[in-house]
Amino acid sequence: MTSQHLSAEERISVRAAVPASDLLYQPFIAASLLLAVLVGFLLAIHVPLGRLMETGRPERTADLIQAHGQAQLLGFAGLYVMGMTFRLLPRFASARLQLLPLAGVALTAMIAALLLRAVVMPLTSGELHDALLIASATGVLIAAASFFLIVAATLLGGARRQDASGIAFLLGGLMLVFAGEAGLVAAIRAVEAGSRTVSYLEDTAVVQIELLGFVLVLIAGVALRALPTISGRGRPERTAKTLPVALAAAAGLQGAALLSLEYAPFSNVLASLSGAAMLAFGLGLFVLLWQAAVLRPSANRLRPASRPHLSLVRAAFVWLAAAAAFMVYFGGRSLVSGDIVLQTDFDAIRHALGLGVITNLILGMSLLILPEAAAERQSPNRQRLLALALALLVNTAALLRVASALAGTRWSDDFRNLLMAVAGSFAEAAVLIFAAYLLRLMLQTRGGSATQG
């Protein structure tokens, strides 16, 4: 069969395929899902329930809130993005991955860092707690540097084709290193100040760089390459080269402005600059929304068996539009007023992106392009019901969580905490179901490979 007779998802899968013996992406995706189920989303339930029932100690709760953000951003989203980078980059760039031993370093260091932060640190105090905080931040930086070196060596040393997505891979890795460095400095400063947790502005800056500069820049690079094909559109080559640069610059600028506000006396100019960067990033997301063409298809090139999975991808881009609107509004308001974006507004944006965009994309694109899921579709299966159930659970969770953030003080703390716990429960159920499904398929793949070997 020629490539002209392949469906869109088959062409994407063929282009993204790696040799059968090379399953490097699998441990990253498995770790991503396990950290989400066992740490990230459990904390999303545990923390608001603890506040609602007044059962947690304030200092321990502060530890867990920051640990939740890191577990979700670097564990769930970050490790997944790393794994998919190792799967897609070789085909996109027509290159063999370089410095492969560093992949194990990145995976081990990131898992250890996140488990220290979420599981061990909240149970400790004093000098041990301080040492673990710095050790966790150091582990994140080691993982970030290892990932960046693999990507840079592959693109700059072995690539036989200059693909526009390579810019996004390189910039995303660089932004992760920036976040890791800022996180380590913030941890050292917290220890010197005698604080259990990183200061609000430093934590906000690091989270924004990780979310916007790392995860979303890489998502933009892959989306602009793969999704227009599904929607019957041509690839926007010029946008694919320039948009990741613009997004990374806006994310870096906002992070730098927030860090400067922490390190120097308050300045309305710096606060406005932070708002302007958020506004610019929101406008960039609108460009991504238009050019990816998921919500304005001219055709549907997916096979009927795969079309239900597109509901998750389309939902992600609806949430992308909402997050972009939030960023333009809140960023513009900050730019004009000279005040920092409110904590509740940051919260709404992060969960619109984290739950609405990233979680929907992880589930939907996994079902569309991972070889394990594609092989499952060759025989009668329940992927259609799975996709619809996941879409219902994830988007209900996103609606509840974003609403609780946008409501702010207009709703009581108890009601907002209840909504957060319910949202976390829906999201936990969705990712648990998906993890059980995909990990079973991965174990079958590894078992088959071992048998063949």
Side-chain angles (χ1 to χ4, degrees):
M1 181 180 290
T2 66
S3 61
Q4 294 177 341
H5 295 93
L6 293 175
S7 64
E9 76 271 27
E10 286 174 327
R11 289 198 298 273
I12 293 171
S13 184
V14 167
R15 289 195 302 269
V18 293
S21 61
D22 188 355
L23 300 175
L24 178 61
Y25 69 94
Q26 286 195 346
F28 282 84
I29 292 178
S32 158
L33 295 175
L34 290 174
L35 282 169
V37 168
L38 299 177
V39 180
F41 286 114
L42 280 186
L43 289 179
I45 301 168
H46 172 75
V47 171
L49 280 183
R51 290 188 299 209
L52 182 64
M53 297 186 290
E54 299 181 350
T55 57
R57 293 180 299 179
E59 69 276 8
R60 185 169 181 266
T61 299
D63 277 341
L64 294 177
I65 289 172
Q66 291 189 354
H68 160 71
Q70 292 299 288
Q72 293 297 76
L73 270 177
L74 297 178
F76 181 38
L79 287 176
Y80 185 90
V81 165
M82 287 182 183
M84 290 305 291
T85 297
F86 295 146
R87 171 166 169 73
L88 299 174
L89 180 59
R91 285 293 179 172
F92 285 3
S94 293
R96 294 174 64 89
L97 285 175
Q98 304 296 306
L99 306 178
L100 279 180
L102 288 180
V105 174
L107 180 62
T108 304
M110 188 66 82
I111 293 173
L114 296 176
L115 290 180
L116 279 180
R117 190 80 181 265
V119 179
V120 182
M121 271 178 49
L123 304 177
T124 64
S125 60
E127 293 182 357
L128 177 58
H129 183 279
D130 294 344
L132 292 175
L133 178 60
I134 293 176
S136 176
T138 302
V140 169
L141 181 56
I142 291 171
S146 299
F147 174 73
F148 174 70
L149 287 173
I150 294 171
V151 172
T154 301
L155 288 172
L156 303 179
R160 294 188 296 273
R161 181 174 64 216
Q162 295 301 318
D163 187 86
S165 62
I167 298 172
F169 288 127
L170 196 61
L171 286 174
L174 186 61
M175 294 300 292
L176 182 60
V177 173
F178 178 22
E181 292 172 342
L184 180 56
V185 171
I188 293 171
R189 283 169 51 85
V191 169
E192 291 175 345
S195 172
R196 285 182 64 90
T197 55
V198 172
S199 72
Y200 169 71
L201 283 175
E202 287 176 299
D203 180 62
T204 301
V206 170
V207 167
Q208 290 298 100
I209 297 167
E210 291 168 350
L211 174 59
L212 306 183
F214 168 49
V215 177
L216 283 176
V217 164
L218 285 175
I219 284 176
V222 175
L224 290 173
R225 193 185 198 280
L227 294 180
T229 304
I230 291 175
S231 304
R233 304 278 184 178
R235 289 182 191 161
E237 295 293 342
R238 182 177 300 176
T239 301
K241 293 177 181 178
T242 58
L243 184 59
V245 176
L247 293 178
L253 181 60
Q254 184 176 46
L258 291 170
L259 290 172
S260 298
L261 285 167
E262 173 67 22
Y263 300 152
F266 180 82
S267 165
N268 293 111
V269 173
L270 285 174
S272 293
L273 187 61
S274 170
M278 177 177 281
L279 168 64
F281 199 96
L283 293 175
L285 290 184
F286 278 123
V287 174
L288 173 61
L289 180 73
W290 180 260
Q291 296 286 17
V294 172
L295 300 182
R296 57 179 194 95
S298 64
N300 189 338
R301 294 182 177 173
L302 295 175
R303 292 184 303 172
S306 299
R307 289 176 184 174
H309 312 335
L310 197 57
S311 62
L312 287 157
V313 179
R314 285 175 175 156
F317 276 82
V318 170
W319 280 108
L320 188 75
F326 294 157
M327 297 182 84
V328 168
Y329 176 71
F330 296 138
R333 188 172 65 184
S334 172
L335 170 63
V336 172
S337 69
D339 295 324
I340 301 173
V341 174
L342 297 176
Q343 182 176 359
T344 52
D345 297 338
F346 272 121
D347 193 42
I349 291 167
R350 288 172 187 167
H351 286 90
L353 291 171
L355 264 177
V357 177
I358 295 170
T359 305
N360 269 312
L361 280 179
I362 285 176
L363 305 185
M365 293 305 292
S366 294
L367 289 172
L368 280 173
I369 69 172
L370 284 181
E372 296 86 355
E376 182 85 349
R377 286 196 293 277
Q378 303 307 310
S379 58
N381 63 83
R382 298 182 180 179
Q383 281 190 4
R384 179 178 181 277
L385 292 177
L386 174 65
L388 295 177
L390 294 176
L392 178 62
L393 288 168
V394 170
N395 290 290
T396 300
L399 281 170
L400 293 175
R401 187 59 184 82
V402 172
S404 69
L406 291 175
T409 57
R410 291 186 293 274
W411 293 352
S412 70
D413 288 343
D414 284 352
F415 184 57
R416 290 176 64 241
N417 281 321
L418 178 62
L419 285 184
M420 291 179 197
V422 173
S425 299
F426 277 115
E428 170 76 7
V431 179
L432 179 60
I433 292 169
F434 178 74
Y437 174 78
L438 186 60
L439 293 179
R440 175 181 62 84
L441 296 182
M442 285 185 173
L443 288 173
Q444 291 175 354
T445 301
R446 286 199 170 264
S449 300
T451 300
Q452 293 172 6

